[in-house]
């Protein structure tokens, strides 16, 4: 992950990756056809974790605002737990789509759609102060993305406590958007 983030897709060579993990290039080729397959594995693995968390939270018999907050918190914590993969998936230049099987491209979309279903429940109950379910879901996701992306890309900035940043972000967003 670190090599792809630091060097970009073009700069991440099989030799650099093999050196990083302590194997020969030949040994790496025995497991992966090319570097695109390595990047695919990294992204699939981390996105699947996010999708599973969203599905688990969405299925809970809780108020949709509570579930929305839980999903957004899980998203931010997932990004903080996997900063390199997060940057690869959500912050880097898009990789040529020919490298990615269609079902892999869809894992991120499934995670987002699971989140949107819960935001639609809030909208359907008439609890949105402004916007539609679509614009509310996008604004919430984008705002949380900004927190994670800045934490990952500016690690030397003197940020407030991460837990506090997460809670202040979520409380501010949801208190401003949702009628109690």
């Amino acid at each position: 992950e670190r090599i792809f983030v630091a060097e970009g897709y073009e700069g991440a060579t099989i030799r650099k990756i093999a050196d990083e993990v302590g194997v020969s290039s030949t040994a790496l080729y025995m497991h992966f056809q090319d570097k695109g397959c390595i990047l695919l594995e990294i992204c699939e693995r981390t996105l699947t974790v996010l999708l599973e968390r969203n599905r688990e939270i969405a299925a809970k018999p809780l108020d949709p605002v509570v579930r929305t907050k839980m999903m957004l918190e899980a998203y931010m914590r997932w990004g903080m737990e996997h900063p390199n993969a997060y940057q690869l998936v959500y912050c880097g230049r898009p990789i040529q789509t020919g490298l990615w099987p269609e079902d892999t491209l869809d894992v991120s979309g499934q995670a987002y759609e699971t989140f949107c279903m819960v935001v639609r429940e809030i909208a359907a109950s008439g609890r949105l102060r402004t916007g539609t379910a679509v614009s509310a879901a996008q604004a919430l996701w984008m705002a949380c993305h900004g927190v994670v992306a800045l934490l990952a890309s500016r690690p030397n900035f003197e940020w407030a406590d991460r837990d506090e940043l997460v809670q202040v972000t979520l409380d501010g967003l949801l208190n401003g958007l949702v009628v109690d």
Side-chain angles (χ1 to χ4, degrees):
E1 291 174 12
R2 285 187 296 109
I3 292 172
F4 282 108
V5 171
E7 307 286 336
Y9 182 78
E10 295 304 320
T13 64
I14 290 291
R15 179 167 304 285
K16 287 179 186 175
I17 296 167
D19 289 346
E20 178 73 18
V21 297
V23 299
S24 70
S25 298
T26 305
L28 198 56
Y29 277 118
M30 292 175 71
H31 298 281
F32 298 99
Q33 181 180 349
D34 57 26
K35 66 183 179 181
C37 293
I38 296 170
L39 183 59
L40 174 65
E41 178 69 27
I42 292 167
C43 294
E44 272 186 334
R45 179 175 33 93
T46 55
L47 286 170
T48 299
V49 169
L50 177 63
L51 175 59
E52 289 170 0
R53 286 181 186 173
N54 277 3
R55 285 180 173 163
E56 179 183 310
I57 294 166
K60 292 181 183 278
L62 300 170
D63 179 79
V65 176
V66 171
R67 286 182 285 140
T68 296
K69 184 175 182 179
M70 290 172 70
M71 292 172 97
L72 290 170
E73 182 172 355
Y75 169 73
M76 288 194 286
R77 296 212 184 274
W78 168 82
M80 289 186 268
E81 290 167 9
H82 306 283
N84 293 330
Y86 186 89
Q87 286 185 308
L88 286 169
V89 174
Y90 290 114
C91 300
R93 282 188 342 197
I95 305 297
Q96 296 173 347
T97 56
L99 297 173
W100 304 95
E102 195 59 39
D103 59 338
T104 301
L105 286 174
D106 196 42
V107 174
S108 178
Q110 288 177 49
Y112 177 72
E113 181 55 32
T114 303
F115 168 74
C116 288
M117 288 187 317
V118 178
V119 175
R120 282 194 288 275
E121 289 179 44
I122 297 169
S125 69
R127 294 172 66 191
L128 287 180
R129 290 186 198 276
T130 185
T132 64
V134 171
S135 63
Q138 289 176 5
L140 290 166
W141 199 265
M142 290 166 65
C144 292
H145 163 74
V147 172
V148 178
L150 281 169
L151 288 171
S153 66
R154 303 288 185 267
N156 296 324
F157 186 83
E158 292 185 32
W159 299 109
D161 177 75
R162 286 180 178 217
D163 290 335
E164 184 177 347
L165 282 172
V166 167
Q167 290 313 309
V168 168
T169 299
L170 295 175
D171 289 345
L173 290 168
L174 292 169
N175 289 337
L177 189 60
V178 177
V179 176
D180 287 334

